[in-house]
């Protein structure tokens, strides 16, 4: 059994395991990490031998830590990272390059249809009807997207939304409210098979699925980092927020909204958030704009998107994809039945 885990901001850890009678008979750890002294590697391998395959990650990490003792230096990885690689091997996890990825830079669509497409496309990946996909959205109108479990009245000033012609919709994932304007945000979704995040905790999967975009932003000259549980930040402030939904059919939806150049004053009139939260997004005044991507790169939005997609493709491969009419028609039906209804929007009043 083979499992790999790239530590976010760290090194690759690989676990190759021989399993007999539901126990690990032999383990071989490898990777581009740094470890001193040399014999520490054999100690780790020895600790993994005899391990029952149902052992939780926390217990695997404790077992590794127990054999290391003082004076061992682990650079770029940790006992927890070893445990993740082991669990990924034991659960048959796949790697990014095990899949043929498709890229869709979608046409502008109305907010409710965007919500429905996320659900439909994720289901298609889970059923095998669609290859794992990176989709960049385009917005046809202003929107506020609230999390699945957020209170509508607590999060949105409906008078402010009407004043600024903002459509309010509810998505299927949790997390906080997002304010978007066409051309001023970059929103994308990853639709991935569950096997890609097998062996990862919910929190670990956020960092794992965000790692490529952290690298892409670094390549653009932004000192971006992952901030648990679901933020991407830089010294100039918050850049993006992620949300995730796991489907019973075997797919994971991971979507991200990034601030390219947003009107902070308008956002404050629409969202019921305080100035302390606004400062977390890179500005302390409602008269300023939230523009970490524009100001830190100096690039047009289209160029940022192109370079992000190129970065993904260089890492994992990426071929052009599309969304056919049948898929859009199915999503339109979901708008009528669910995402465009008052019942769905006010499921948490």
């Amino acid at each position: 059994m083979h499992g790999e885990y790239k530590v976010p901001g760290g090194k690759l850890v690989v676990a190759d395991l021989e399993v007999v009678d539901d126990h690990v008979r032999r383990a071989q750890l490898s990777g581009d990490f740094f470890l001193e002294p040399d014999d520490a590697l054999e100690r780790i391998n020895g600790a993994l031998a005899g391990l029952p395959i149902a052992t939780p990650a926390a217990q695997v990490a404790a077992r590794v830590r127990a054999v290391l003792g003082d004076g061992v230096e682990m650079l770029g990885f940790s006992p927890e990272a070893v445990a993740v690689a082991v669990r990924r091997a034991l659960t048959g996890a796949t790697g990014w390059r095990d899949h043929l990825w498709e890229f869709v830079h979608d046409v502008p669509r109305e907010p409710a249809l965007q919500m429905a497409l996320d659900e439909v496309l994720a289901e298609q990946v889970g059923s095998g009807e669609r290859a794992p996909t990176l989709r960049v959205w385009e917005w046809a109108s202003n929107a506020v997207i609230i999390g699945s479990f957020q209170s509508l009245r607590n999060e949105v000033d409906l008078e402010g939304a009407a004043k600024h012609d903002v459509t309010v919709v509810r998505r299927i994932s949790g997390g906080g409210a997002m304010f978007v304007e066409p051309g001023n945000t970059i929103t994308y979704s990853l639709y991935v098979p569950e096997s890609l995040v097998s062996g990862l905790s919910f929190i670990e999967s956020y960092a794992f699925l965000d790692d490529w975009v952290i690298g892409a932003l670094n390549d653009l000259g932004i000192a971006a980092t992952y901030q648990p549980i679901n933020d991407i930040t830089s010294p100039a402030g918050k850049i993006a927020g992620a949300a995730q939904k796991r489907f019973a059919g075997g797919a994971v939806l991971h979507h991200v909204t990034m601030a390219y150049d947003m009107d902070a004053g308008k956002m404050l009139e629409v969202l019921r958030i305080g100035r302390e939260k606004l400062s977390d997004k890179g500005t302390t005044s409602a008269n300023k704009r939230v523009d970490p991507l524009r100001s830190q790169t100096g690039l047009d939005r289209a160029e940022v998107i192109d370079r992000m997609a190129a970065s993904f493709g260089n890492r994992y491969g990426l071929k052009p994809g599309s969304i056919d009419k049948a898929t859009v028609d199915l999503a339109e039906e979901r708008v009528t039945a669910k995402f465009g209804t008052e019942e769905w929007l006010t499921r948490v009043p």
Side-chain angles (χ1 to χ4, degrees), residues 123-172:
E123 290 174 353
Q124 290 178 344
V125 170
S127 68
E129 181 181 348
R130 171 177 294 275
T133 300
L134 168 64
R135 176 173 77 106
V136 174
W137 306 19
E138 293 294 347
W139 295 92
S141 59
N142 301 332
V144 163
I145 308 96
I146 60 175
S148 181
F149 311 108
Q150 286 189 297
S151 163
L152 175 63
R153 70 167 69 98
N154 289 345
E155 298 299 326
V156 183
D157 185 324
L158 294 176
E159 291 185 2
K163 172 184 174 182
H164 294 292
D165 194 24
V166 172
T167 301
V168 184
V169 292
R170 185 184 295 274
R171 63 179 183 267
I172 55 176

Side-chain angles (χ1 to χ4, degrees), residues 65-147:
R65 189 175 289 105
V67 302
L68 293 179
D70 297 332
V72 172
E73 292 288 337
M74 304 178 75
L75 301 178
F77 77 128
S78 65
E80 288 72 23
V82 173
V84 170
V86 168
R87 290 304 310 162
R88 285 177 61 76
L90 293 173
T91 57
T94 56
W96 291 91
R97 288 193 171 275
D98 292 327
H99 302 282
L100 298 176
W101 293 90
E102 292 188 355
F103 176 59
V104 175
H105 190 167
D106 206 9
V107 299
R109 302 187 191 275
E110 292 297 333
L113 183 56
Q114 296 283 28
M115 303 302 105
L117 273 172
D118 250 4
E119 184 174 77
V120 171
L121 294 173
E123 290 174 353
Q124 290 178 344
V125 170
S127 68
E129 181 181 348
R130 171 177 294 275
T133 300
L134 168 64
R135 176 173 77 106
V136 174
W137 306 19
E138 293 294 347
W139 295 92
S141 59
N142 301 332
V144 163
I145 308 96
I146 60 175

Side-chain angles (χ1 to χ4, degrees), residues 9-257:
K11 298 297 184 178
L12 178 68
V13 183
V14 180
D16 287 294
L17 311 176
E18 180 184 342
V19 174
V20 178
D21 295 332
D22 293 334
H23 285 73
V24 176
R25 170 182 284 181
R26 186 184 66 83
Q28 179 62 65
L29 199 73
S30 61
D32 60 355
F33 50 76
F34 299 93
L35 178 64
E36 294 289 346
D38 283 349
D39 70 351
L41 183 62
E42 290 310 311
R43 280 185 263 166
I44 294 174
N45 290 336
L48 298 176
L51 190 75
I53 63 173
T55 305
Q59 293 182 24
V60 177
R63 191 161 174 160
V64 170
R65 189 175 289 105
V67 302
L68 293 179
D70 297 332
V72 172
E73 292 288 337
M74 304 178 75
L75 301 178
F77 77 128
S78 65
E80 288 72 23
V82 173
V84 170
V86 168
R87 290 304 310 162
R88 285 177 61 76
L90 293 173
T91 57
T94 56
W96 291 91
R97 288 193 171 275
D98 292 327
H99 302 282
L100 298 176
W101 293 90
E102 292 188 355
F103 176 59
V104 175
H105 190 167
D106 206 9
V107 299
R109 302 187 191 275
E110 292 297 333
L113 183 56
Q114 296 283 28
M115 303 302 105
L117 273 172
D118 250 4
E119 184 174 77
V120 171
L121 294 173
E123 290 174 353
Q124 290 178 344
V125 170
S127 68
E129 181 181 348
R130 171 177 294 275
T133 300
L134 168 64
R135 176 173 77 106
V136 174
W137 306 19
E138 293 294 347
W139 295 92
S141 59
N142 301 332
V144 163
I145 308 96
I146 60 175
S148 181
F149 311 108
Q150 286 189 297
S151 163
L152 175 63
R153 70 167 69 98
N154 289 345
E155 298 299 326
V156 183
D157 185 324
L158 294 176
E159 291 185 2
K163 172 184 174 182
H164 294 292
D165 194 24
V166 172
T167 301
V168 184
V169 292
R170 185 184 295 274
R171 63 179 183 267
I172 55 176
S173 61
M178 306 300 293
F179 173 75
V180 301
E181 299 173 289
N184 286 341
T185 58
I186 297 174
T187 305
Y188 70 85
S189 292
L190 280 170
Y191 311 97
V192 309
E194 190 176 24
S195 62
L196 185 65
V197 297
S198 181
L200 300 176
S201 69
F202 197 79
I203 293 176
E204 288 165 344
S205 70
Y206 270 86
F208 181 78
L209 294 175
D210 280 339
D211 188 60
W212 77 271
V213 78
I214 299 293
L217 293 172
N218 291 164
D219 291 342
L220 288 171
I222 299 177
T225 56
Y226 167 73
Q227 181 68 39
I229 176 177
N230 65 330
D231 287 345
I232 298 171
T233 65
S234 76
K238 179 176 174 178
I239 294 174
Q244 195 177 109
K245 174 72 174 179
R246 300 197 179 196
F247 291 75
V252 177
L253 162 66
H254 184 87
H255 45 199
V256 175
T257 293

Side-chain angles (χ1 to χ4, degrees), residues 234-238 264 267-268 273-286 290:
S234 76
K238 179 176 174 178
M267 181 171 65
L268 272 182
I273 59 175
R275 291 178 183 268
E276 70 279 359
K277 188 166 184 178
L278 185 63
S279 66
D280 178 54
K281 298 178 184 294
T283 180
T284 57
S285 169
V290 183

